[in-house]
């Protein structure tokens, strides 16, 4: 850390934070604009009596076709398969792989598949940073590439998750970095993500397109932990473990079928996701958009109007989102964080009326437990649930920790759903 090259790395990380933040903001803005045009503006112009329930079906088929074509014909397989969760095997993508990653994620996220933007942003940020290092110095040492790629990934997702510290936990826990290497990698990353957060705020003020950060501002104040809520935390953790195991199993079981005919099968899976969303609107009377997408935009609205949903509608919503999530994991490209948060929050809302439960801890426990199961990152999952609740996060920490611990232990006791990556998995994801 006292060397001149490390000082240069800090300066380069701060500089890189600016263009990578611009790119990440532009990517998220493009996804948001396409979603709004396809699922809000266009049907409003075409139909006078509201958007019909079948509207998402053809768009999800198109989503599958575009994603399948991108993965099949462009280098890099569109990035890592989300069915395997987060992992850092193979390092950041190389320059020729970035277009495929960007296009596959853009098609997946914009046209309705149930995955989040965090994994593509991590890959894109790390890839752009690594590319910059190689352009500056072709024979750069591997450690320099690792440091700058991590800084790029920090920058790309720091504001998306609502906190540079949370982004740091995610990257560090995924990479398994500890000891002296942790400080070497973390300091440039935090510096770059801090610069990136300022850029995001400036772009929001300048463009008015939004911050794209997930936040919950309408949750009632959290009461102090009680024996009842601590007991329910065990139940929430157990339910999340079983639900997450089913989602993982669905996604992994579809992969061999997808590999038989990538384009056709991905389009069929898109059709099934669209039909699931259509069925939800026809049965519940609520918009199909609650089932589609990552859940980042729908979650605050569902929480704000939690009292308007019956338990049965919440169970239906959780079931449809779970099915669409599992289908998306098997073939599309994106991240597993936000759909897991949405399913966990809906599970918590459904359980919040039980004796001894209340809304804030129920939502936090559901989010933490589901993220622990889907990500296999217990520290990040607990911190994510606590940070998301803002000032009430401290009050719900004990319940969240218990729910996360139970979920994480149980998912590792259940039959394995995420096998160790083989060489073939790394090549053909």
């Amino acid at each position: 850390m006292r060397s001149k090259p490390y000082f240069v790395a800090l300066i380069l990380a701060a500089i890189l934070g600016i263009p990578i933040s611009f790119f990440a903001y532009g990517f998220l803005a493009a996804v948001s604009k396409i979603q709004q045009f396809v699922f809000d503006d266009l049907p409003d112009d075409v139909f006078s009596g509201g958007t019909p329930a079948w509207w998402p079906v053809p768009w999800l088929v198109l989503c599958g076709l575009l994603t399948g074509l991108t993965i099949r014909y462009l280098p890099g397989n569109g990035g890592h398969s989300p069915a395997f969760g987060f992992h850092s095997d193979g390092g950041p993508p190389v320059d020729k792989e970035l277009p495929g990653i960007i296009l596959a994620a853009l098609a997946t996220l914009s046209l309705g598949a149930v995955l989040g933007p965090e994994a593509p942003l991590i890959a894109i940020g790390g890839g752009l940073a690594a590319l910059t290092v190689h352009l500056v110095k072709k024979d750069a040492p591997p450690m320099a590439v690792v440091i700058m790629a991590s800084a790029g990934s920090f920058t790309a997702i720091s504001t998306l998750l609502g906190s540079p510290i949370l982004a740091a936990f995610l990257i560090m826990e995924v990479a398994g970095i500890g000891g002296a290497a942790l400080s070497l990698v973390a300091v440039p990353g935090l510096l770059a993500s801090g610069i990136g957060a300022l850029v995001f705020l400036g772009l929001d003020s300048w463009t008015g397109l939004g911050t794209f950060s997930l936040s919950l501002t309408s949750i009632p104040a959290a009461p102090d932990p009680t024996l009842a809520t601590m007991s329910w935390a065990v139940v929430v953790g157990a339910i999340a473990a079983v639900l997450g195991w089913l989602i993982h199993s669905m996604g992994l079981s579809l992969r061999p079928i997808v590999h038989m005919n990538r384009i056709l099968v991905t389009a069929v899976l898109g059709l099934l996701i669209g039909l699931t969303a259509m069925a939800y609107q026809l049965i519940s009377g609520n918009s199909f958009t609650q089932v589609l997408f990552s859940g980042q935009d729908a979650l605050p609205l569902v929480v704000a109007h939690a009292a308007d949903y019956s338990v049965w509608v919440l169970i239906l919503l959780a079931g449809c989102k779970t099915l669409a999530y599992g289908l998306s994991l098997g073939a599309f490209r994106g991240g597993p964080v936000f759909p897991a948060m949405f399913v966990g929050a809906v599970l918590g809302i459904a359980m919040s009326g039980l004796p001894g439960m209340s809304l804030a801890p129920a939502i936090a426990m559901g989010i933490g437990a589901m993220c622990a199961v889907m990500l296999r990152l217990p520290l990040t999952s607990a911190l994510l649930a606590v940070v998301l609740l803002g000032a009430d996060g401290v009050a719900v920490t004990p319940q969240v920790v218990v729910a996360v611990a139970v979920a994480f232990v149980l998912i590792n006791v259940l039959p394995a759903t995420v096998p160790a990556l083989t060489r073939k998995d790394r090549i053909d994801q």
Side-chain angles (χ1 to χ4, degrees):
M1 294 185 72
R2 298 178 181 178
S3 65
K4 182 179 178 180
Y6 189 75
F7 180 72
V8 173
L10 289 175
I11 296 176
L12 183 58
I15 295 173
L16 279 176
I18 298 174
I20 291 178
S21 296
F22 268 91
F23 188 92
Y25 188 92
F27 177 81
L28 293 172
V31 169
S32 177
K33 283 297 182 181
I34 295 173
Q35 287 180 357
Q36 182 179 351
F37 172 76
V38 171
F39 294 97
D40 292 327
D41 298 341
L42 186 58
D44 286 345
D45 293 338
V46 175
F47 305 102
S48 59
T51 306
W54 57 263
W55 182 255
V57 176
W59 295 106
L60 264 298
V61 174
L62 178 62
C63 177
L65 287 172
L66 294 178
T67 304
L69 287 167
T70 303
I71 296 172
R72 175 67 177 82
Y73 291 109
L74 292 184
N77 297 308
H80 294 308
S81 170
F84 289 105
F86 283 120
H87 61 85
S88 57
D89 296 49
V94 298
D95 52 353
K96 66 179 182 180
E97 297 174 344
L98 286 173
I101 293 174
I102 294 169
L103 292 176
L106 190 64
T108 292
L109 302 175
S110 300
L111 297 178
V114 183
L115 292 170
E118 67 285 347
L121 286 179
I122 289 173
I124 293 167
L128 290 175
L131 175 62
T132 303
V133 172
H134 288 304
L135 290 176
V136 173
K137 189 176 183 180
K138 292 184 178 180
D139 59 343
M143 190 60 187
V145 177
V146 170
I147 290 174
M148 298 313 300
S150 296
S153 297
F154 273 43
T155 304
I157 65 166
S158 61
T159 303
L160 175 68
L161 296 177
S163 168
I165 301 299
L166 186 54
F169 263 82
L170 176 62
I171 300 298
M172 294 297 101
E173 199 170 6
V174 169
I177 299 175
L182 176 60
S183 297
L184 287 173
V185 175
V187 174
L190 288 172
L191 178 61
S193 63
I195 298 294
L198 290 176
V199 171
F200 261 67
L201 290 174
L203 288 172
D204 175 35
S205 176
W206 179 45
T207 66
L209 294 176
T211 62
F212 305 111
S213 297
L214 180 64
S215 61
L216 300 178
T217 58
S218 55
I219 299 179
D224 292 332
T226 64
L227 181 60
T229 55
M230 298 297 285
S231 300
W232 283 121
V234 176
V235 178
V236 171
I239 295 175
V242 174
L243 197 58
W245 184 87
L246 291 173
I247 295 171
H248 267 143
S249 299
M250 188 189 311
L252 289 172
S253 65
L254 289 171
R255 282 176 47 78
I257 304 173
V258 172
H259 288 160
M260 293 172 61
N261 190 322
R262 166 73 66 177
I263 299 169
L264 176 61
V265 175
T266 307
V268 171
L269 293 178
L271 172 64
L272 294 176
I273 294 169
L275 291 174
T276 301
M278 181 181 74
Y280 172 74
Q281 177 163 320
L282 291 174
I283 296 171
S284 69
N286 298 322
S287 173
F288 55 74
T289 57
Q290 294 181 345
V291 172
L292 302 181
F293 314 122
S294 68
Q296 178 183 354
D297 295 328
L299 179 56
L301 296 176
V302 172
V303 171
H305 301 282
D308 298 334
Y309 293 86
S310 69
V311 173
W312 294 112
V313 170
L314 290 169
I315 293 174
L316 175 65
L317 175 56
C320 291
K321 193 78 170 184
T322 294
L323 176 58
Y325 185 16
L327 295 173
S328 299
L329 280 179
F332 293 86
R333 291 296 184 259
V337 174
F338 288 100
M341 294 174 64
F342 186 92
V343 172
V346 172
L347 172 65
I349 295 172
M351 297 181 64
S352 62
L354 294 170
M357 280 281 266
S358 56
L359 188 61
I363 291 175
M365 288 187 290
I367 289 174
M370 280 302 303
C371 287
V373 173
M374 298 305 299
L375 308 184
R376 309 299 174 95
L377 304 174
L379 294 178
T380 300
S381 300
L383 183 62
L384 194 154
V386 169
V387 169
L388 189 60
L389 264 69
D392 293 319
V394 176
V396 302
T397 300
Q399 301 99 304
V400 170
V401 169
V402 171
V404 167
V406 171
F408 187 71
V409 169
L410 288 180
I411 196 60
N412 284 283
V413 171
L414 291 169
T417 57
V418 184
L421 290 181
T422 64
R423 184 176 183 275
K424 183 178 185 302
D425 289 323
R426 293 188 179 96
I427 294 173
D428 183 19
Q429 293 196 53

